[in-house]
């Protein structure tokens, strides 16, 4: 199949999910392979880039063709870059030397050490909760928590912009699932008002900071409705922990509703800069999750080195000395510059800056050229968002200098004008 042929056929993501009539199980993988080898831009060109140095404001990448070059990093979720903090690294090294590379067992057997318990205690204290449970993966945290606590007798109400792991956990639980348009509190109340009285297992789930838009869920209004309609509330604050709130304690602190959240879920791979996830809640809830959350019960525990480093991360978070203010000052600087140039950036309230493109073909070209000319950003289109809302997602990192922010934004503005986006 020639490049010209492929350019005229439908190469949408969803067309390669199902086995077509007459195909064997793996034929769809060959169809994808043909498209990726064709030379037609699909937005996948930068997937699988190899970093050649530790995470910093400038990262050396090796392209798939072997070409190596430096890029200004605007695509990392490690907003505070605490993974390179000397105290964090020293603690991780100390734990590595004592416990080795891995724990060798699941948490409920012989897979944890005192460091794991210390980390859980620190997370519980951070959220002013009775206890916390640490999962070995962020995705598995949402899957495990939701599928353990909810069943076919229950109902879950989701913001439409919630992370995919939340929806997958809901599907696995077997619960009835309702969805309200992103941030539409009036629609949420209409759903709640129509729930039959005999359904008492009710859970509202929302991201704290939404990963594609950077805005913060209206937890003040959501918790009011939860009380009115007898619902529990779960917040996945993956992109909020250490970043938003008066002292970096997240989205619930931003709205002063910390005592009204039943399930405080977060990821240890974003602001904390490592690996894993957690849920902080009442003691009996955490105890139940240790026994019934399958992604905890059947997964090997986090390596002690990761846990040791994370303990120091939460020390930084507790004292609010991880660099949150510096991060938000630099984010504000970048936002103001891009807005002044004419870009639409949504309603971001975090270190996530969505740069709306609205045209997938332009998006693919822009994304490719920015990377090759020295600025790494994330590309976002279907299935993460609707195609007509496709965008670049910039993730600001504290360590970026204002000079680097200028260089990156100047190139984005230049390309935006070339492609008549602004």
């Amino acid at each position: 199949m020639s490049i010209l042929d492929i350019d005229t056929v439908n190469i949408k993501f969803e067309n390669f999910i199902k086995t077509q009539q007459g195909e064997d199980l793996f034929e769809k993988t060959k169809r994808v392979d043909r498209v990726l080898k064709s030379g037609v831009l699909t937005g996948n060109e930068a997937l699988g880039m190899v970093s050649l140095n530790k995470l910093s404001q400038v990262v050396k990448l090796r392209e798939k063709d072997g070409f190596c070059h430096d890029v200004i990093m605007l695509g990392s979720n490690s907003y505070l870059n605490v993974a390179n903090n000397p105290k964090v690294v020293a603690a991780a090294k100390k734990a590595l030397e004592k416990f080795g590379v891995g724990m060798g067992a699941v948490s409920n057997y012989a897979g944890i050490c005192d460091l794991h318990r210390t980390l859980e205690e620190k997370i519980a204290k951070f959220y002013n909760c009775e206890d916390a449970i640490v999962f070995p993966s962020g995705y598995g945290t949402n899957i495990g928590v939701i599928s353990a606590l909810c069943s076919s007798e229950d109902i879950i109400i989701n913001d439409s912009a919630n992370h995919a792991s939340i929806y997958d956990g809901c599907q696995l639980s077997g619960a009835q699932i309702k969805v309200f348009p992103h941030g539409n509190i009036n629609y949420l109340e209409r759903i709640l008002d129509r729930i039959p009285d005999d359904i008492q297992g009710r859970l509202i789930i929302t991201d704290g900071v939404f990963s594609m838009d950077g805005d913060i869920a209206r937890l003040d209004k959501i918790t009011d409705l939860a009380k009115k309609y007898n619902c529990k509330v779960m917040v996945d604050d993956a992109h909020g922990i250490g970043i938003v709130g008066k002292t970096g304690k997240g989205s619930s602190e931003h709205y002063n509703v910390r005592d009204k959240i039943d399930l405080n879920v977060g990821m240890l791979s974003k602001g904390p800069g490592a690996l894993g996830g957690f849920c902080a809640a009442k003691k009996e809830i955490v105890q139940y999750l240790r026994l019934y959350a399958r992604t905890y019960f059947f997964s090997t525990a986090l390596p002690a080195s990761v846990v040791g480093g994370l303990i120091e991360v939460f020390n930084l978070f507790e004292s609010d000395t991880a660099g949150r203010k510096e991060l938000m000052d630099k984010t504000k600087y970048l936002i103001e510059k891009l807005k002044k140039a004419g870009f639409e950036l949504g309603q971001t309230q975090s270190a996530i800056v969505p740069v709306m493109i609205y045209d997938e073909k332009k998006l693919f070209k822009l994304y490719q050229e920015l990377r090759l000319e020295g600025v790494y950003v994330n590309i976002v289109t279907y299935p993460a968002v609707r195609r007509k809302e496709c965008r670049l997602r910039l993730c600001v990192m504290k360590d970026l200098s204002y000079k680097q922010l200028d260089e990156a934004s100047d190139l984005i503005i230049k390309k935006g004008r070339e492609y008549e986006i602004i």
Side-chain angles (χ1 to χ4, degrees), residues 9-67:
V9 300
N10 192 333
I11 58 170
K12 292 181 179 179
F13 174 90
E14 60 271 31
N15 288 349
F16 299 87
I17 294 174
K18 294 183 179 180
T19 302
Q20 295 183 355
Q21 187 174 7
E23 288 186 343
D24 67 23
L25 186 63
F26 299 140
E27 185 60 36
K28 54 183 171 286
T29 70
K30 297 176 184 177
R31 288 191 278 120
V32 169
D33 184 61
R34 287 195 293 271
V35 171
L36 294 179
K37 288 179 177 177
S38 70
V40 174
L41 291 179
T42 63
N44 294 287
E45 288 69 33
L47 299 186
M49 296 291 99
V50 176
S51 298
L52 300 178
N53 59 306
K54 68 181 180 181
L55 178 63
S56 63
Q57 59 268 49
V58 176
V59 174
K60 185 174 287 294
L61 289 183
R62 185 172 67 229
E63 298 277 338
K64 294 176 182 177
D65 62 2
F67 172 62

Coordinates of all heavy atoms in Angstrom, one line a residue, residues 9-67:
V9 N -7.4 6.8 2.8 CA -8.3 5.9 3.6 C -8.5 6.4 5.0 O -7.8 7.3 5.5 CB -7.8 4.4 3.6 CG1 -7.6 3.9 2.2 CG2 -6.5 4.3 4.3
N10 N -9.4 5.8 5.7 CA -9.7 6.2 7.0 C -8.7 5.5 8.0 O -8.7 4.3 8.1 CB -11.2 5.7 7.4 CG -11.7 6.3 8.6 OD1 -10.9 6.7 9.5 ND2 -13.0 6.5 8.7
I11 N -7.9 6.3 8.7 CA -6.9 5.7 9.6 C -7.2 6.1 11.0 O -6.3 6.3 11.8 CB -5.5 6.1 9.2 CG1 -5.4 7.7 9.2 CG2 -5.1 5.6 7.8 CD1 -3.9 8.1 9.1
K12 N -8.5 6.3 11.3 CA -8.9 6.6 12.7 C -8.5 5.5 13.7 O -8.6 4.3 13.4 CB -10.4 6.9 12.8 CG -10.8 8.2 12.0 CD -12.3 8.4 12.2 CE -12.7 9.7 11.5 NZ -14.1 10.0 11.6
F13 N -8.2 5.9 14.9 CA -7.8 5.0 16.0 C -8.8 3.9 16.2 O -8.4 2.7 16.3 CB -7.6 5.8 17.3 CG -7.4 5.0 18.5 CD1 -6.1 4.7 18.9 CD2 -8.4 4.5 19.3 CE1 -5.8 4.0 20.0 CE2 -8.2 3.8 20.4 CZ -6.9 3.5 20.8
E14 N -10.0 4.2 16.2 CA -11.1 3.2 16.5 C -11.3 2.2 15.5 O -11.9 1.1 15.7 CB -12.4 3.9 16.9 CG -13.0 4.8 15.8 CD -12.5 6.2 15.8 OE1 -11.3 6.5 16.2 OE2 -13.3 7.1 15.3
N15 N -10.8 2.4 14.2 CA -11.0 1.5 13.2 C -10.0 0.3 13.2 O -10.1 -0.6 12.4 CB -10.8 2.2 11.8 CG -12.0 3.1 11.5 OD1 -13.0 3.1 12.2 ND2 -11.8 3.9 10.5
F16 N -9.2 0.3 14.2 CA -8.2 -0.8 14.3 C -8.4 -1.6 15.6 O -7.5 -2.3 16.1 CB -6.8 -0.3 14.3 CG -6.5 0.4 13.0 CD1 -6.7 1.8 12.8 CD2 -5.9 -0.3 11.9 CE1 -6.5 2.4 11.6 CE2 -5.7 0.3 10.7 CZ -5.9 1.7 10.5
I17 N -9.5 -1.4 16.3 CA -9.8 -2.1 17.6 C -10.4 -3.4 17.4 O -10.0 -4.4 18.0 CB -10.7 -1.2 18.4 CG1 -10.0 0.1 18.8 CG2 -11.1 -1.9 19.7 CD1 -10.8 1.1 19.5
K18 N -11.4 -3.5 16.5 CA -12.1 -4.8 16.3 C -11.5 -5.6 15.2 O -11.1 -5.1 14.2 CB -13.6 -4.5 16.1 CG -14.3 -3.9 17.3 CD -15.8 -3.7 17.0 CE -16.5 -3.1 18.3 NZ -17.9 -2.9 18.0
T19 N -11.6 -6.9 15.3 CA -11.3 -7.9 14.2 C -12.4 -7.8 13.2 O -13.6 -7.9 13.5 CB -11.2 -9.3 14.8 OG1 -10.2 -9.3 15.8 CG2 -10.8 -10.3 13.6
Q20 N -12.0 -7.5 11.9 CA -13.0 -7.4 10.9 C -13.4 -8.8 10.3 O -12.7 -9.8 10.5 CB -12.4 -6.5 9.7 CG -12.2 -5.1 10.1 CD -11.7 -4.2 9.0 OE1 -11.4 -4.7 7.9 NE2 -11.6 -2.9 9.2
Q21 N -14.5 -8.8 9.7 CA -15.0 -10.1 9.1 C -14.0 -10.7 8.2 O -13.5 -10.0 7.3 CB -16.4 -9.8 8.4 CG -17.0 -11.1 7.9 CD -18.4 -10.9 7.3 OE1 -18.8 -9.7 7.1 NE2 -19.1 -11.9 7.1
G22 N -13.7 -11.9 8.4 CA -12.8 -12.6 7.6 C -11.3 -12.5 8.0 O -10.4 -13.2 7.5
E23 N -11.0 -11.7 9.1 CA -9.7 -11.6 9.6 C -9.4 -12.6 10.7 O -10.3 -13.0 11.4 CB -9.5 -10.2 10.1 CG -9.4 -9.1 9.1 CD -9.0 -7.7 9.8 OE1 -9.1 -7.6 11.0 OE2 -8.5 -6.8 9.0
D24 N -8.1 -12.9 10.8 CA -7.8 -13.7 12.1 C -7.5 -12.7 13.2 O -7.6 -11.4 13.0 CB -6.6 -14.6 11.8 CG -5.3 -13.9 11.6 OD1 -5.1 -12.7 12.0 OD2 -4.4 -14.5 11.0
L25 N -7.2 -13.1 14.3 CA -7.1 -12.3 15.5 C -6.0 -11.2 15.4 O -6.2 -10.1 15.9 CB -6.7 -13.2 16.8 CG -6.7 -12.5 18.1 CD1 -8.1 -12.0 18.5 CD2 -6.2 -13.5 19.2
F26 N -4.9 -11.5 14.7 CA -3.8 -10.5 14.6 C -3.8 -9.7 13.4 O -2.8 -8.9 13.2 CB -2.5 -11.3 14.8 CG -2.4 -12.0 16.1 CD1 -1.8 -13.3 16.1 CD2 -2.8 -11.5 17.3 CE1 -1.7 -14.0 17.3 CE2 -2.7 -12.2 18.5 CZ -2.2 -13.5 18.5
E27 N -4.7 -9.8 12.5 CA -4.7 -9.0 11.2 C -4.7 -7.5 11.5 O -4.1 -6.8 10.8 CB -5.8 -9.5 10.3 CG -5.8 -8.8 8.9 CD -4.5 -9.2 8.2 OE1 -4.0 -10.3 8.3 OE2 -4.0 -8.3 7.4
K28 N -5.5 -7.1 12.5 CA -5.6 -5.7 12.8 C -4.2 -5.1 13.2 O -3.9 -3.9 12.9 CB -6.6 -5.4 13.9 CG -6.4 -6.2 15.2 CD -7.6 -5.8 16.1 CE -7.6 -6.7 17.3 NZ -8.1 -8.1 17.0
T29 N -3.3 -5.9 13.8 CA -2.0 -5.4 14.1 C -1.2 -5.2 12.9 O -0.4 -4.2 12.8 CB -1.3 -6.4 15.0 OG1 -0.9 -7.6 14.3 CG2 -2.1 -6.8 16.2
K30 N -1.4 -6.0 11.8 CA -0.7 -5.8 10.6 C -1.2 -4.5 9.9 O -0.4 -3.8 9.2 CB -0.9 -7.0 9.7 CG -0.3 -8.3 10.3 CD -0.6 -9.5 9.4 CE -0.1 -10.7 10.0 NZ -0.4 -11.9 9.2
R31 N -2.5 -4.2 10.0 CA -3.1 -3.0 9.4 C -2.5 -1.8 10.0 O -2.1 -0.8 9.3 CB -4.6 -3.0 9.5 CG -5.3 -4.0 8.6 CD -6.8 -3.8 8.5 NE -7.5 -4.4 9.7 CZ -8.2 -3.7 10.6 NH1 -8.3 -2.4 10.4 NH2 -8.8 -4.3 11.6
V32 N -2.3 -1.8 11.3 CA -1.7 -0.7 12.0 C -0.3 -0.5 11.6 O 0.2 0.6 11.4 CB -1.8 -0.9 13.6 CG1 -0.9 0.1 14.3 CG2 -3.2 -0.7 14.1
D33 N 0.4 -1.6 11.5 CA 1.8 -1.6 11.1 C 2.0 -1.0 9.7 O 2.9 -0.2 9.5 CB 2.4 -3.0 11.1 CG 3.9 -3.1 10.8 OD1 4.7 -2.5 11.6 OD2 4.3 -3.7 9.8
R34 N 1.1 -1.3 8.8 CA 1.2 -0.7 7.5 C 1.1 0.8 7.5 O 1.8 1.5 6.8 CB 0.2 -1.4 6.5 CG 0.5 -2.8 6.1 CD -0.3 -3.3 5.0 NE -1.8 -3.3 5.3 CZ -2.3 -4.4 5.8 NH1 -1.6 -5.5 6.0 NH2 -3.6 -4.5 6.1
V35 N 0.1 1.3 8.3 CA -0.1 2.7 8.4 C 1.1 3.4 9.0 O 1.6 4.4 8.5 CB -1.3 3.0 9.2 CG1 -1.4 4.5 9.5 CG2 -2.6 2.5 8.5
L36 N 1.7 2.8 10.1 CA 2.8 3.5 10.8 C 4.0 3.5 9.9 O 4.9 4.4 10.1 CB 3.0 2.7 12.1 CG 1.9 2.8 13.2 CD1 2.3 2.1 14.4 CD2 1.6 4.3 13.5
K37 N 4.2 2.5 9.0 CA 5.3 2.5 8.2 C 5.2 3.3 6.9 O 6.1 3.5 6.1 CB 5.6 1.1 7.8 CG 6.2 0.2 8.9 CD 6.5 -1.2 8.4 CE 7.1 -2.1 9.5 NZ 7.3 -3.5 9.1
S38 N 4.0 3.9 6.7 CA 3.7 4.6 5.4 C 4.3 5.9 5.3 O 4.5 6.4 4.2 CB 2.2 4.7 5.3 OG 1.7 5.7 6.2
G39 N 4.6 6.6 6.4 CA 5.1 7.9 6.3 C 4.1 9.0 6.5 O 4.4 10.2 6.7
V40 N 2.8 8.6 6.6 CA 1.7 9.5 6.9 C 1.8 9.9 8.4 O 1.9 9.0 9.2 CB 0.3 8.9 6.5 CG1 -0.8 9.8 7.0 CG2 0.2 8.6 5.0
L41 N 1.7 11.2 8.7 CA 1.7 11.6 10.1 C 0.4 11.1 10.8 O -0.7 11.3 10.3 CB 1.8 13.1 10.2 CG 3.2 13.7 9.8 CD1 3.1 15.2 9.9 CD2 4.3 13.1 10.6
T42 N 0.6 10.4 11.9 CA -0.6 9.9 12.7 C -0.6 10.4 14.1 O -1.5 10.1 14.9 CB -0.5 8.4 12.7 OG1 0.7 7.9 13.4 CG2 -0.5 7.8 11.3
G43 N 0.4 11.2 14.5 CA 0.5 11.6 15.9 C 1.3 10.6 16.8 O 1.5 10.9 18.0
N44 N 1.7 9.5 16.2 CA 2.4 8.5 17.0 C 3.9 8.5 16.8 O 4.7 7.7 17.3 CB 2.0 7.1 16.5 CG 0.5 6.8 16.9 OD1 0.2 6.6 18.1 ND2 -0.4 6.8 15.9
E45 N 4.4 9.5 16.0 CA 5.8 9.6 15.7 C 6.7 9.7 16.9 O 7.9 9.1 16.8 CB 6.1 10.8 14.7 CG 5.5 10.6 13.3 CD 4.0 10.6 13.3 OE1 3.4 11.3 14.1 OE2 3.4 9.9 12.4
A46 N 6.3 10.3 17.9 CA 7.2 10.5 19.1 C 7.0 9.4 20.2 O 7.7 9.5 21.2 CB 7.0 11.9 19.7
L47 N 6.1 8.5 20.0 CA 5.9 7.5 21.0 C 7.1 6.6 21.0 O 7.6 6.1 20.0 CB 4.6 6.7 20.7 CG 3.3 7.4 20.6 CD1 2.1 6.5 20.4 CD2 3.1 8.3 21.9
G48 N 7.6 6.3 22.2 CA 8.7 5.4 22.4 C 10.1 6.1 22.2 O 11.1 5.4 22.1
M49 N 10.1 7.4 22.3 CA 11.4 8.1 22.3 C 12.2 7.7 23.5 O 11.6 7.4 24.6 CB 11.2 9.6 22.4 CG 10.5 10.3 21.2 SD 11.5 10.3 19.7 CE 10.7 8.9 18.9
V50 N 13.5 7.6 23.4 CA 14.4 7.1 24.5 C 15.1 8.3 25.1 O 15.8 9.1 24.4 CB 15.4 6.1 24.0 CG1 16.4 5.7 25.1 CG2 14.7 4.9 23.5
S51 N 15.0 8.5 26.4 CA 15.7 9.6 27.1 C 17.2 9.1 27.4 O 17.3 8.0 27.9 CB 15.0 10.0 28.4 OG 13.8 10.5 28.1
L52 N 18.1 9.9 27.2 CA 19.5 9.6 27.4 C 20.2 10.2 28.6 O 21.4 10.0 28.8 CB 20.3 9.9 26.1 CG 19.9 9.3 24.8 CD1 20.7 9.7 23.6 CD2 19.9 7.7 24.9
N53 N 19.4 10.9 29.4 CA 19.9 11.5 30.6 C 18.7 11.6 31.6 O 17.5 11.4 31.2 CB 20.5 12.8 30.5 CG 19.6 13.9 29.9 OD1 19.0 13.7 28.8 ND2 19.4 15.0 30.5
K54 N 19.0 11.8 32.9 CA 17.9 11.9 33.9 C 17.0 13.1 33.6 O 17.4 14.0 32.9 CB 18.5 11.9 35.3 CG 19.2 13.2 35.6 CD 19.8 13.2 37.0 CE 20.5 14.4 37.4 NZ 21.0 14.4 38.8
L55 N 15.8 13.0 34.1 CA 14.8 14.1 33.9 C 15.4 15.4 34.3 O 15.8 15.6 35.5 CB 13.5 13.8 34.6 CG 12.4 14.8 34.5 CD1 12.0 15.0 33.0 CD2 11.2 14.5 35.3
S56 N 15.3 16.4 33.4 CA 15.7 17.7 33.7 C 15.0 18.7 32.8 O 14.2 18.2 32.0 CB 17.3 17.9 33.6 OG 17.7 17.7 32.2
Q57 N 15.3 20.0 32.9 CA 14.6 20.9 32.0 C 15.0 20.8 30.6 O 14.3 21.1 29.7 CB 14.9 22.4 32.5 CG 16.3 22.8 32.6 CD 16.9 22.5 33.9 OE1 16.8 21.5 34.5 NE2 17.6 23.6 34.5
V58 N 16.2 20.2 30.3 CA 16.6 19.8 28.9 C 17.0 18.3 28.9 O 17.8 17.9 29.7 CB 17.8 20.7 28.5 CG1 18.3 20.2 27.1 CG2 17.4 22.1 28.4
V59 N 16.3 17.6 28.1 CA 16.5 16.2 28.0 C 17.1 15.8 26.6 O 16.6 16.3 25.6 CB 15.2 15.4 28.2 CG1 15.4 13.9 28.0 CG2 14.7 15.7 29.6
K60 N 18.0 14.9 26.6 CA 18.5 14.4 25.3 C 17.7 13.2 24.9 O 17.6 12.2 25.6 CB 20.0 14.0 25.4 CG 20.6 13.6 24.0 CD 22.1 13.4 24.2 CE 22.9 14.7 24.3 NZ 22.8 15.5 23.1
L61 N 17.1 13.3 23.7 CA 16.3 12.2 23.2 C 17.0 11.5 22.0 O 17.7 12.1 21.3 CB 14.9 12.8 22.7 CG 13.9 13.3 23.7 CD1 12.7 13.7 22.9 CD2 13.6 12.2 24.7
R62 N 16.7 10.2 21.9 CA 17.1 9.4 20.7 C 15.8 9.1 20.0 O 14.9 8.4 20.4 CB 17.8 8.2 21.1 CG 18.4 7.4 19.9 CD 19.3 6.3 20.2 NE 18.6 5.2 20.9 CZ 19.0 4.6 22.0 NH1 20.1 5.0 22.6 NH2 18.3 3.7 22.6
E63 N 15.8 9.6 18.7 CA 14.6 9.4 17.9 C 14.7 7.9 17.4 O 15.7 7.2 17.5 CB 14.6 10.3 16.7 CG 14.5 11.8 17.0 CD 13.1 12.2 17.2 OE1 12.2 11.6 16.7 OE2 12.9 13.3 17.9
K64 N 13.6 7.5 16.8 CA 13.5 6.1 16.3 C 14.5 5.8 15.2 O 14.9 4.6 15.1 CB 12.1 5.8 15.8 CG 11.0 5.8 16.9 CD 9.6 5.7 16.4 CE 8.6 5.8 17.5 NZ 7.2 5.6 17.0
D65 N 14.9 6.8 14.5 CA 15.9 6.6 13.4 C 17.3 6.7 13.9 O 18.3 6.6 13.2 CB 15.7 7.5 12.3 CG 15.9 9.0 12.7 OD1 16.2 9.3 13.9 OD2 15.7 9.9 11.8
G66 N 17.5 6.9 15.3 CA 18.8 7.0 15.9 C 19.3 8.4 16.1 O 20.3 8.6 16.8
F67 N 18.7 9.4 15.5 CA 19.1 10.8 15.7 C 18.9 11.2 17.1 O 17.9 11.0 17.7 CB 18.3 11.7 14.8 CG 18.5 13.1 15.0 CD1 19.7 13.7 14.8 CD2 17.4 13.9 15.4 CE1 19.9 15.1 15.0 CE2 17.6 15.3 15.5 CZ 18.8 15.9 15.3

